[in-house]
Amino acid sequence: MTIRTLLPAILQAVMKGLPVALGDRHYPRWHLAPVTGLMNDPNGFIHFQGRYHLFYQWNALGCQHQHKCWGHWSSADLTHWRHEPLALMPDEEYDRSGCYSGSAVDDNGRLTLCYTGNVKFDDGTRTAWQCLAVQNADGGFDKLGPVMPLPGGYTGHVRDPKVWRHGDRWYMVLGAQDLALQGKVLLLRSDNLWNWENLGEIAGSTLGGLGEAGYMWECPDLFMLDGKAILICCPQGVTREEKRYLNTYPSAYLCGDLDYDKPEFRHGPLVELDAGFEFYAPQTTLADDGRRLLIGWMGVPDGEEMLQPTVAQGWIHQMTCPRELTLRDGKLCQQPARELAALRGEEQRLEGVAATLPSLAAESLELVLEAQGEVTLDFADTLRLEWTRDGLRLARRSLACSEWMHRYWQGDARRLHILCDRSSVEIFINDGEGVMSSRYFPAAGAKLGFEGDAQLRLRYWSLRACMVE
């Protein structure tokens, strides 16, 4: 599809698809979601000149992973968003198979995008270019073209540049697959965003004390937090364990120390970042007050995504809520961004034996729970959370065969903070020590019921809709 046909087709898809998506009972009230078509990875998350900018992988023409553009929202406060002009379309030879994921930087007052131009050939091979685009006076972006070809020693799976400033130089991490089909993360350096020096592999499968840990490490994000270097990544092909790494593709992180000069990243074990059914490709940025914020895609490639009922309504997937990151006893902790409190209605409270408590409307709900004993939370007979002394077990029926599937968080869960939307639940454990993010699709309106003889104490709020203009 050429640029002359792609843009009119996108405009027509939005005009036809928007009212259908907004009328779907599963369409979120306060999470960000596509107006039509498929949305996946958050891209270019940045605070720039007083506003947050969040770009996203978007196929407006359908729910398949094709025609990847960059959509664009912005916000002053993380709760009121507006649509910005479409940022990138796959309309050049170097990105004709998709404008894949990347990041955004402030280059001397110019909002600049760094992204992967994906090119697939007829014989099944592929290549990748790392590319730049800069914002113009109309709010759109002008492509500057490729700045880096495929590096030697790697397959065509090299993508997802995350770029930042350290000292007087630019640095980039790239997800890569070497010729032995092992996933790696590359570190690169530049004086000007145009000429990049590959400093080598700093993490990945068979490196840094890890054994074989996947065939491709996607969506890397490297940042400092409380004096430690954190590398978030998506290691595809990690071996499933009994209670970890159960999604088709997981998200994980490494915590350690980065030596820019060698370079060398000395780190601890690979840790799963979210234990729910849907979480992938997270990206972080710095808030204006120095907080490290994260937004993830509440989806997973492949798996059962195309069986979700929203596909019949012409749209699929949503983002997570914005989250604040902290480091506690060497663990990366996530909590809902404090700005979300602006969506709360009046606080209400409940206390008593779980089975005697009334059910709550859960289409747009925030609640904080403490329990003495074991309890089960039932989300509209569709999603069940079993809270025991050993931890949490989240259960949901397969969309393919109706068998129960399970996800686990192991440990002493003392306190839960849960955010609910029409078709999603985000469960924060022990002030963010763990998180379980999941979609679910109730047959009717979302309700939350309680089972068990545990003494339960709740504070909860209904949540107003997130404004998207």
Side-chain angles (χ1 to χ4, degrees):
M1 186 174 288
T2 67
I3 179 60
R4 300 180 72 175
T5 58
L6 181 58
L7 189 56
I10 290 174
L11 181 59
Q12 182 187 37
V14 169
M15 289 188 294
K16 293 175 65 176
L18 176 60
V20 179
L22 294 182
D24 186 358
R25 68 173 181 271
H26 298 310
Y27 196 83
R29 295 194 72 234
W30 62 272
H31 285 84
L32 291 169
V35 295
T36 192
L38 177 141
M39 181 204 74
N40 54 298
D41 304 8
N43 294 156
F45 189 26
I46 189 173
H47 189 267
F48 174 78
Q49 295 184 353
R51 294 187 69 83
Y52 292 97
H53 293 262
L54 180 64
F55 303 82
Y56 55 97
Q57 294 280 282
W58 185 36
N59 173 20
L61 303 182
C63 292
Q64 299 74 38
H65 287 278
Q66 299 174 339
H67 310 299
K68 291 296 180 65
C69 302
W70 276 36
H72 181 194
W73 295 296
S74 77
S75 173
D77 59 7
L78 298 176
T79 60
H80 297 81
W81 294 85
R82 74 184 182 206
H83 294 289
E84 300 289 352
L86 186 64
L88 299 173
M89 290 190 297
D91 53 11
E92 299 289 348
E93 184 61 28
Y94 54 80
D95 60 16
R96 60 184 171 87
S97 302
C99 298
Y100 276 22
S101 291
S103 52
V105 296
D106 179 349
D107 182 20
N108 293 314
R110 298 184 304 169
L111 183 56
T112 302
L113 307 183
C114 314
Y115 73 100
T116 298
N118 188 48
V119 178
K120 297 179 181 179
F121 300 109
D122 293 340
D123 63 0
T125 61
R126 65 197 294 166
T127 192
W129 301 88
Q130 310 313 316
C131 308
L132 297 180
V134 63
Q135 191 171 37
N136 57 41
D138 298 323
F141 286 81
D142 298 324
K143 292 180 179 178
L144 303 180
V147 296
M148 182 180 149
L150 191 70
Y154 298 91
T155 73
H157 291 281
V158 176
R159 55 182 173 266
D160 310 334
K162 179 63 189 288
V163 179
W164 71 98
R165 190 86 173 171
H166 175 72
D168 59 356
R169 288 178 166 178
W170 295 103
Y171 287 83
M172 174 197 295
V173 281
L174 268 178
Q177 181 187 69
D178 67 18
L179 297 181
L181 306 186
Q182 296 293 303
K184 309 292 184 181
V185 173
L186 310 181
L187 180 67
L188 301 98
R189 181 172 60 200
S190 173
D191 292 324
N192 55 16
L193 292 178
W194 284 87
N195 306 109
W196 289 93
E197 176 189 4
N198 186 357
L199 301 179
E201 300 171 353
I202 59 165
S205 182
T206 72
L207 297 178
L210 300 180
E212 290 200 2
Y215 57 81
M216 174 62 192
W217 280 33
E218 289 193 315
C219 304
D221 188 344
L222 183 64
F223 55 90
M224 297 300 296
L225 194 62
D226 293 339
K228 305 298 287 187
I230 307 293
L231 175 65
I232 290 177
C233 55
C234 294
Q236 296 184 324
V238 171
T239 301
R240 290 190 178 194
E241 302 176 9
E242 182 182 1
K243 294 185 176 181
R244 293 198 311 162
Y245 302 124
L246 297 177
N247 288 341
T248 308
Y249 303 121
S251 293
Y253 73 91
L254 297 166
C255 177
D257 298 291
L258 177 64
D259 186 332
Y260 278 91
D261 296 325
K262 285 190 175 180
E264 182 182 30
F265 181 37
R266 298 177 299 276
H267 58 76
L270 192 66
V271 181
E272 193 168 28
L273 189 58
D274 190 296
F277 284 99
E278 275 92 17
F279 182 87
Y280 200 70
Q283 191 168 103
T284 75
T285 192
L286 276 177
D288 57 347
D289 60 4
R291 287 173 296 151
R292 177 63 58 170
L293 302 178
L294 174 148
I295 289 182
W297 169 34
M298 205 178 293
V300 175
D302 302 328
E304 294 189 353
E305 62 174 336
M306 294 306 162
L307 300 178
Q308 294 182 11
T310 69
V311 171
Q313 305 300 313
W315 71 279
I316 185 171
H317 298 313
Q318 67 174 54
M319 294 298 180
T320 68
C321 74
R323 302 173 180 181
E324 298 182 15
L325 301 183
T326 54
L327 201 61
R328 190 187 315 146
D329 300 326
K331 294 181 179 179
L332 186 62
C333 296
Q334 308 172 63
Q335 292 179 281
R338 63 194 65 176
E339 287 88 347
L340 296 177
L343 300 177
R344 290 174 175 174
E346 184 179 351
E347 179 179 326
Q348 301 184 68
R349 295 175 181 256
L350 276 177
E351 188 170 354
V353 175
T356 68
L357 297 178
S359 61
L360 301 177
E363 287 199 342
S364 192
L365 178 70
E366 178 180 3
L367 64 159
V368 176
L369 303 90
E370 296 176 350
Q372 297 177 355
E374 299 186 350
V375 63
T376 295
L377 278 61
D378 182 355
F379 296 88
D381 298 321
T382 308
L383 185 77
R384 291 175 62 84
L385 179 66
E386 300 172 5
W387 184 1
T388 70
R389 295 183 182 88
D390 299 325
L392 303 173
R393 185 174 82 157
L394 192 63
R396 186 181 73 185
R397 288 193 186 275
S398 165
L399 295 172
C401 63
S402 297
E403 292 183 0
W404 285 101
M405 304 184 298
H406 299 93
R407 298 292 183 267
Y408 304 87
W409 185 85
Q410 301 173 80
D412 179 17
R414 301 175 300 278
R415 184 174 183 265
L416 302 184
H417 185 177
I418 302 178
L419 299 177
C420 306
D421 210 330
R422 284 175 169 165
S423 58
S424 67
V425 174
E426 295 172 85
I427 303 162
F428 297 85
I429 307 154
N430 297 345
D431 299 315
E433 181 182 341
V435 191
M436 304 180 85
S437 302
S438 296
R439 300 295 303 282
Y440 79 119
F441 304 97
K447 290 282 188 180
L448 172 58
F450 308 96
E451 302 173 5
D453 56 6
Q455 191 74 16
L456 199 57
R457 184 165 62 248
L458 293 83
R459 294 188 297 135
Y460 64 99
W461 304 260
S462 62
L463 298 176
R464 290 183 284 273
C466 176
M467 181 71 70
V468 183
E469 300 172 345

